[in-house]
Amino acid sequence: MLTRDRLIEVLDYDPATGIHVWCSRPAVNRYVKAWNTRYAGKVAGRRYRKSRGDKTEYVVIEIDDRPYAAHRLAWLRTYGAWPTNEIDHKDRNGTNNAIENLRDATSTCNKINTSTRVDNVSGRKGVCWDARRRNWRAEIAINRRRINLGSFNDFSAACAARSVAELRYHA
């Protein structure tokens, strides 16, 4: 497991911008010298998406041949310990790793702060068209468990059911 000391040794972090930059390493051989020439002082990480339907991008940084999410590294660097839960980006921008934009949140709280998926045809989170039954279906997920809110002939009724459930379960 990566420690805070090792993290400080290999990466600089700017808490205002959320950007990680590779540190220069002691040039003990030509391979490290070549690494320093290529990477030292440059922004670390690459962008990735968790799934195909997810439009949120995140930054992953590989340290000692192991990938780490940049937002988790920012948390470790700032607070000295790994987060106990998931890290939520308050502004829903997964590449904005400024420490003020990050919070330690439960899975449920993190899911509340998500936008609709790109493959969502209804435009409303938790409401979808059931082609087999030819009506609208509403659902909500609580603690990783889906709760069926019912089937509706009217789209606005399905949206209303979802809104009531959000107030009930997320309040």
Side-chain angles (χ1 to χ4, degrees):
M1 182 63 78
L2 182 67
T3 63
R4 183 174 190 257
D5 292 335
R6 176 67 178 145
L7 177 61
I8 291 170
E9 187 180 306
V10 296
L11 284 175
D12 278 332
Y13 171 69
D14 182 358
T17 64
I19 294 174
H20 292 85
V21 175
W22 290 112
C23 295
S24 180
R25 299 176 183 176
V28 293
N29 58 39
R30 67 186 175 124
Y31 301 110
V32 175
K33 191 173 182 180
W35 188 95
N36 281 339
T37 302
R38 187 168 183 187
Y39 297 108
K42 296 193 174 127
V43 175
R46 62 179 168 78
R47 291 175 181 235
Y48 79 100
R49 289 186 179 162
K50 288 183 178 180
S51 66
R52 199 169 197 192
D54 191 0
K55 56 185 166 187
T56 306
E57 288 187 330
Y58 297 92
V59 176
V60 67
I61 300 171
E62 201 167 297
I63 300 172
D64 299 329
D65 297 324
R66 185 168 174 198
Y68 295 94
H71 50 273
R72 295 182 68 79
L73 294 176
W75 194 270
L76 173 64
R77 172 97 183 210
T78 304
Y79 298 111
W82 290 102
T84 54
N85 296 302
E86 296 178 2
I87 296 295
D88 181 31
H89 292 82
K90 295 176 189 174
D91 68 354
R92 296 181 183 170
N93 178 357
T95 60
N96 179 3
N97 293 313
I99 200 65
E100 289 297 317
N101 186 45
L102 306 177
R103 65 178 174 165
D104 193 3
T106 64
S107 178
T108 300
C109 288
N110 199 5
K111 298 294 184 274
I112 292 168
N113 191 27
T114 59
S115 55
T116 56
R117 290 174 47 113
V118 260
D119 58 355
N120 181 324
V121 292
S122 74
R124 177 70 162 90
K125 219 164 53 165
V127 177
C128 63
W129 175 252
D130 188 342
R132 193 168 55 97
R133 293 191 176 102
R134 307 206 37 84
N135 60 16
W136 293 98
R137 189 180 49 173
E139 61 182 27
I140 192 166
I142 304 297
N143 296 325
R144 297 186 175 143
R145 215 180 96 236
R146 286 183 194 223
I147 298 171
N148 184 7
L149 303 173
S151 296
F152 305 88
N153 291 327
D154 185 40
F155 175 71
S156 59
C159 291
R162 170 63 190 213
S163 296
V164 169
E166 285 174 0
L167 291 172
R168 178 179 174 197
Y169 292 110
H170 298 163

